[in-house]
Amino acid sequence: MALPENGRSRGYLAARGFRSWALTLDHKRIGALYLYTTLFFFLLGGIFGLLIRIKLMYPGQAIFSNQTYNVLFTLHGSMMIFLFIIPGIPSGLGNFFIPLLIGARDVAFPRLNLASYWIFVAGILVILGSLIRPMDTGWTFYTPYSAKTGANIALLSFGIFLVGMSSILTGLNFIVTVHKLRAPGMTWHRMPLFIWGMYATSIIQVLATPVVGITFLLLAMERVFGIGFFDPAKGGDPLLFQHFFWFYSHPVVYVMILPAMGVISEVIPVFSRKPIFGYKAIAYSSLAIAFIGFLVWGHHMFVSGMSKTASIIFSFLTFFVAVPTSVKVFNWIATMYKGSITFESPMLYALTFISLFIIGGLTGMFLGALATDVHVHDTYFIVAHFHYTMMGGTVMGLLAGLHYWWPKMTGRMLSEKTARWGWLLTFIGFNLTFLVQFYLGFKGMPRRWAEYPPQYQTLNIVSTVGSWILAGGILVMFSNFIRGLFRGDPAPANPWKGLTLEWQTSSPPPEENFGTVPVVTDWPYGYVKRKPAGDG
Amino acid sequence: MAHSAAESAGHPSVHASPAVAYEAAKLGIWAFLATEVLLFGGLFTTYIVFRLKFPEMFHRDYLHLDRVLGAANTVVLIASSLTVALAIASIRKGEQRLLKLFLSLTIFLAGVFLVIKYFEWTEKFAHGLFPGTDIFFSLYFMMTGLHGLHVAGGIAVLGAMLFLAGRGRFSESYNTPVEISGLYWHFVDLVWIYLFPLFYLIG
Ligand code: HEM
Ligand SMILES: [Cu+2]
């Protein structure tokens, strides 16, 4: 990351050179490394997404082969999920800001932190190595197909195992950090809500990831020794794979969304200049979501041949997750009510998060209900639904966080004007791309198919053109990031006048974060009572 | 590098005090062990699913396992849990020599465990029983294999402790790493205590 010059302190960015990054124990640098790595896969996965859309614009024409199509949507889905969105906010922003927000000098185990970054990189390299024979299973790797396809599934499984291990170690580190390293005076109910979100996330990472680890090991064994754990022909049970897979992969959608919700809970009160409404409700709803998230995995298997009773129970439980989620949305809106709202770019992204996530969440109810799920299962309705939650939700949350914390991370401001253009294009492009897909899915266009009947073509053209506008918005945004890194105006310590602790140290923060460890005397959202610290 | 000073001392400024560092390490290892339980938990679940599905296969294959070797290994591991506990007790009293002795004994016993396992496995291979033979044997090899990897990991960890003990790193007041490694070793022992009856005792 770049640097303020003209005699201003470069803070934690002072040391230069490869070693100072590769061997760093500073959580801020490790967080930055994660951000670079995961954003790279966001862009790469995005290119694959655009390619898929180009193919879908011209049904019946051989832009590329159907096999290539299968490989592309698999690469797109798995890179976005495993290499971008799961590690993105937790390991990137989480590493950078957890210690700063609780007034600690670093995470509890800095060496472990560095190790988990390099384990992550090793996992990526193994996964890329396995692509010599590209996979075509979709990111869910369902057996028995994944046990038979020509791809290097065993090697790939090992790569995912490593990535998962890194995720476990990070989560573990955060749990201990939050428990043991809070600044004096920071009680649990004075913790910023981002910390609550990250704490709940870490619990999920630690409790769910080992199960996917063993699932992929079993899959690897199946490939290497041809055992048939999951192969009905040999007495195995393909549903066992799906149960294991979703026992992890459902809770993991909360690994994606809870940190984003944490970011939103920081941004909304700052730009509304009002105390957050319902602090405890937001805090505990994170834990509730994490807990209920473990009980609903079966809603992915309604049409897989589970028993009726099981389906009904899973459907019923699924609706429960909506409760704590709605509590949060309600509280954000109540926070904004009668606030003095300003629309700087972080706030624009936060509002986008709320509106798009509501659409994603409401359509999720269609999928949680048995009858409608059977109708829209494996159609474009699903594709639209998860892009609204994951991209409209999590990615917008990440972008809100990047715009909000950029001055703190780099010591430089972004161009607000460019940021707004980037936002506008992204917003229009996103909705153009994915809104029509709800309709396509409802009309029966299947997901993961390279071909479709011609009556769907018009809307597919709309969607593809939308994806180009979206890509344009993201390009504008990233050019702003890169320009900001090198040329942005020097950032003051507290440009948004926030009350959380990270704004009470310089931008960028020094190594070990604070000159003297701060003493906390109040919660961080008292916008009416207190004056913000720092210059600004 | 600006970090080097802090680095050589293990970045100590993170923690307000050694007491906090100790608490953090304790919480960390317990959380880690929870993930290990879940890792093996997936395999135990698989075991239960298939045992219920194929009771005859499980009974037939179980007869091929060598109860004597299994029992011997159980004794060896329990003994090693004792020696590691003695190692921790010794350094708490500041007894450097006893610490090194008990750590070496533990590593030795862990090695014995792996050697016995080696003979057991090769004997199975000689009889044409492989991980691909059927679901029982794939579970047997996978679960004992994963456990074996944990034993090997334990040897590495305890070896590192022995090395540090040789350099006089530990004392009455500072022995957290020994204690943490000991907890891990007890866990490895505990997993075996479940594996042994599951495979060797219940037909
Ligand atoms: C540049 C923006 C994006 C575009 C144009 C795009 C496009 C697409 C398309 C067309 C598909 C459907 C493939 C098919 O069913 O045949 C798809 C699937 C998918 N996308 Fe995206 N996407 C974008 C961003 C994202 C993001 C940000 C994420 C996650 C964070 C994501 C996650 C997924 C997943 C998980 C699948 C499912 C893949 C599968 O079925 O195996 N996408 N995307
Ligand atoms: Cu789910």
Side-chain angles (χ1 to χ4, degrees), chain A residues 246 249-251 253-254 293 296-300 318 385:
Chain A
W246 288 112
S249 294
H250 186 81
V253 307
Y254 303 111
V296 302
W297 74 88
H299 63 207
H300 295 272
T318 298
H385 158 72

Side-chain angles (χ1 to χ4, degrees), chain B residues 146-164:
Chain B
L146 191 67
H147 176 260
L149 280 179
H150 279 72
V151 173
I155 292 180
V157 170
L158 294 170
M161 290 304 119
L162 185 60
F163 174 77
L164 292 176

Side-chain angles (χ1 to χ4, degrees), chain A residues 42 45-50 52-53 56 69 73-74 76-78 80-81 84-85 137-140 256 380 383 386-387 390-391 394-395 433-434 437 446-450 467 470-471 474:
Chain A
F42 173 56
I47 293 174
F48 294 140
L50 291 173
I52 305 175
R53 283 257 44 104
L56 291 173
Y69 183 90
F73 79 65
T74 303
H76 168 71
S78 10
M80 286 293 189
I81 298 282
F84 165 59
I85 207 161
T137 56
W139 76 278
T140 47
M256 306 173 197
Y380 258 75
V383 179
F386 67 63
H387 282 90
M390 291 196 277
M391 189 163 188
T394 308
V395 177
T433 312
F434 295 109
Q437 295 183 357
R447 145 194 202 198
R448 289 186 181 175
W449 284 30
S467 73
L470 174 58
I474 289 178

Side-chain angles (χ1 to χ4, degrees), chain B residues 84 100 103-104 106-108 110 151-167 170 181 185:
Chain B
V84 89
K100 280 178 266 180
L103 279 177
S104 316
T106 315
I107 294 171
F108 171 74
V151 173
I155 292 180
V157 170
L158 294 170
M161 290 304 119
L162 185 60
F163 174 77
L164 292 176
R167 296 189 152 194
F170 305 120
S181 321
W185 190 252

